[in-house]
Amino acid sequence: MSSSQELPPGLIAELMAVPPPNGKKLAYGTAGFRDKATLLDSTFQRMGVLAALRSIACGGQVIGLMVTASHNAVEDNGIKMIDPAGSMLAIEWEGHAATLANARTEEELKAILIALLAIAAPSFPSPSTPTPPRPRPRVWIARDTRPHSHRLSNLAVEGALLVVGGKGGVGASGGEPGEVVDVGLMTTPQLHHCVRMENCRLGDVRTGKERSGGDACPVIGGGPGWQGEEGYVRLLASSYLALCSTAHPTAHSTAGPTAHPSLPSSDLWLDCAHGIGALKFPALAAAVNKGAGASAARLTVTLVNTAEEENTLYLNDKCGAEYVQKGQQPPKGMDGRDKGRRWASFDGDADRLVYHFYDQEGKWHLLDGDKMAVLAADFLMDALKESGLPPPETGDEGGQAGDWKVAVVQTAYANGASTRYLRDKGIPVVFAKTGVKYVHHEAEKYDIGIYFEANGHGTVIFGETMAKAILSHREKLEKEVVSESEGSEKEKIATTRLVCALQLINQAVGDAMSDLLFVEAVLRLKGWDIADWHKGLYTDLPSKQLKLQVQDRTVMSCNKDETRAMTPGGLQEALDVLMASPAVAPHGRVFVRPSGTEDVVRVYAEAATPEIAAQLALDASKIVYDMAGGVGVRPA
Ligand SMILES: CC(=O)N[C@H]1[C@@H](OP(=O)(O)O)O[C@H](CO)[C@@H](O)[C@@H]1O
Ligand SMILES: [Mg+2]
């Protein structure tokens, strides 16, 4: 059993010297800890400690810490942990994070730290099972461009060093100190990628067995040096270019977009939300254009709302994916002169993406996460059908390729029209609670799980069996004697498209830069520009989102997919009356839920017209205000 003697010397004293914020119960929410930056010193230091212990628990694999508050205003900051596979922190450790962050006395700190050490590195007292050597912990820390991110990142580094050792300290490993690397400015998805790839390269650190060279990752297959930020750029640029090159010969020519007016213009306007995307996208675009030459794959990007230096003060201010999607409005820097231009918006840490444009009549349109989910699902289902991929090894004869499990995961916020479109095309749709960890976890249950929350956070997850099947199918096709049949050419193109998608799309987490390249490639392959995409799939039902403050949002609870409020009693019944009214039925729907990232209750309504949707949202807000303890001015 571990005891306080096992704790690194001085650890408790160091943590007691930086107490948690008064009167605050910290929760590790959908996106880690997130609050006003001035309240988080203790939390950052302790997350450094926790990351080192998590690394020991994971056998010395790299654990990531991302310092960001994503789409929140600049005065906020936050920190979230990245597990060895580049995924979000295992849900069972979220509780440990909250207990450690909220510990106020020496006893509370000792209790949680000893418990964590026992989990991370159980010692076996009996001589027959000698305690295995404790792995050397490894922690990588990255940050976004907020003015306070660097200072807070240093606190996390110091916290990690208290456990890892270094600075002359003896690491928890008892032997030589581990490693704490400040990898500096990165987008959140870049750190997810770097953590995943480094652990793929390391192989099983317990045995020290390095993976054979080139096998960068069991899911996306071999490839020279896809580790690190440079590897990230190399992987995305090469797979984007390979995807664009699968255009059917008749559709594209190397003469560039002007050769085929139906092709999208290579011009793209990118609203960077004054965030990290402005610093990181140019390197990716340069790598793309180095390989694109004058071909249709070329990207001519105009950056708007940039962040020239590290401490931007206007992060997400009247711009960025959250502002555009929630407000259904163009970002600053865009106006009616932009008719027909293809615009995209990142959020502050470049893990969310939405598209938008002014049509020739000067009307502004949003293409949100639902539009990307449907574009991706359409494209990948067609590629799967045309690839000739053999059915999964189901053990019984006669399996059909249709046995691969593909689904689009949506949340209650998905526009009803998108759900209808997918189901009408025979593409399975399942629902999950709102929050990246819920939809990501649900998507992992499928061979291809597609999820894009309406706010633009999303990705496509290929299961390992599916990924291996796609890669070996391509290998088989490449070895086949070149057959002139159109069928085999079609199979090759479709299979290559699946491989490129597998490698281009960030498998670890929603990634605005990776998603943008995927959309740009698919638009080129379909010969669509943004107006074609907007009208080529389905027409959104008008919708409206509101949020209001209540005394205590935990009085509200919802059912499994958050489409109905379970408490407070009577509230859902009142909403049902609104939805049953002749003016609203049959398309109108409204739901309310407590936010997991802000101290608000969110309201979403959609209906046949913008006016009905707005009125429905307002009437629902009044019911929430009256029945769930609204504060401030009653909605009117
Ligand atoms: C309506 C909405 O956009 N909700 C967002 C928001 O969660 P809330 O629990 O609604 O605050 O932040 C989450 C983390 O970024 C994201 O996953 C989710 O989609
Ligand atoms: Mg974000």
Side-chain angles (χ1 to χ4, degrees), residues 370 373-374 408-412 414-415 418-419 422 429-432 439 450:
D370 298 331
V374 172
V408 174
V409 183
Q410 291 193 318
T411 71
N415 196 283
S418 69
T419 311
L422 288 164
V429 180
V430 294
F431 280 84
V439 284
I450 299 161

Side-chain angles (χ1 to χ4, degrees), residues 124 149 178-179 249 450 479 509 516 523 579:
F124 306 95
S149 285
E179 170 189 82
I450 299 161
K479 284 181 187 145
V509 70
L516 181 141
L523 292 180
M579 287 189 272

Side-chain angles (χ1 to χ4, degrees), residues 31 34 68-72 144 146 315-316 347-349 351-352:
R34 195 174 288 179
T68 182
S70 183
H71 58 277
N72 287 36
D144 71 4
R146 291 165 190 269
L315 194 65
N316 298 312
D347 76 330
D349 64 333
D351 68 350
R352 288 188 189 184

Side-chain angles (χ1 to χ4, degrees), residues 401-426:
D403 294 338
W404 290 108
K405 291 192 302 165
V406 181
V408 174
V409 183
Q410 291 193 318
T411 71
Y413 290 101
N415 196 283
S418 69
T419 311
R420 257 192 300 285
Y421 175 90
L422 288 164
R423 285 180 167 156
D424 290 350
K425 290 208 70 170

